Amino acid sequence: MSQSSGVDPAKLAAAQAAVALVEDGMKLGLGTGSTAAVMVRELAARVAAEGLKLRCAATSQATADLATSLGLRIESLDEIGWLDMTIDGADEVDPDLHLIKGGGAAHLREKVVAAASDRMVVVADPGKVVEILGAFPLPVEVLAFGFETTRKLIRRALDELELGGHDVMQRLRGSDPVITDEGNLILDLHLGCIPDAPALARALAAIPGVVEHGLFLGMCDLAIIGRKDGSVIQLARDADIDADLLANEGE
Ligand SMILES: O=C[C@H](O)[C@H](O)[C@H](O)COP(=O)(O)O
């Protein structure tokens, strides 16, 4: 049975439109986060109703647990090999469909899974659509080994890109460090605005203690933006983004 009461209608609309793209026999990547969780529930409902035969890989332990609890069988990415489509959430989506991800500390596995997919579809609400990335703090997964050294190297890289002086904060849950599914730590870069995302992505990737950053550049093929009234807007790469969406429709 499909979810309804208590579920954010914008997330539900996006999730339903994305799940409608799923075809019998597909190999799917399942994203992480609250919007992806709505999608996983919709997918499980469709599978139960229609008996679809799917092969699914999860982008986090949390998603694997949710999917399994709903009767979906999760396999490892390596067992499946290559995916037809990954459906995932995002923290920010810009007009070129570049993304910030990792608000749930899952961006490392999410990027590995998206990179192994023919198509990445993002499900989001209008609040995620931005003109320029960076208001959402950029998550960077780093090794525990040499953590403070890596933080210094990140600060140096930011200085070189004229993005210095911003907070580079370790992500905590209460007073404990957030530990990712891969056993690493998270630094959140509070940049406000990222004028040159490719340059920042290159600089972060060149730092040895950085495992993966949350910039997803050129990976998303389609963003499905759900609205509170249950309608959706589908944004394909290079398509213009509706000015109303950038104003977040007052949401
Ligand atoms: O690490 C988490 C992921 O990148 C999520 O997909 C992202 O944070 C969006 O999550 P939500 O749908 O809960 O806003």
Side-chain angles (χ1 to χ4, degrees), residues 11 32-36 88-91 101-107 110 123 128:
K11 291 180 182 181
T32 296
S34 58
T35 321
D88 203 345
D91 299 298
K101 288 183 51 56
H107 61 277
E110 289 176 336
V123 282
K128 306 290 184 61

Side-chain angles (χ1 to χ4, degrees), residues 8 10-11 14 32-37 88-104 110 122-136 223-226 235 241 244-249 251:
D8 179 317
K11 291 180 182 181
T32 296
S34 58
T35 321
D88 203 345
D91 299 298
E92 286 188 345
V93 182
D94 84 0
D96 295 318
L97 301 195
H98 296 329
L99 314 171
I100 286 183
K101 288 183 51 56
E110 289 176 336
V122 159
V123 282
D125 56 74
K128 306 290 184 61
V129 182
V130 298
E131 221 151 340
I132 183 157
L133 298 176
F136 190 91
I224 302 180
I225 311 298
L235 306 168
I241 285 191
D244 284 353
L245 267 175
L246 289 169
N248 289 339
E249 302 173 309
E251 293 181 42

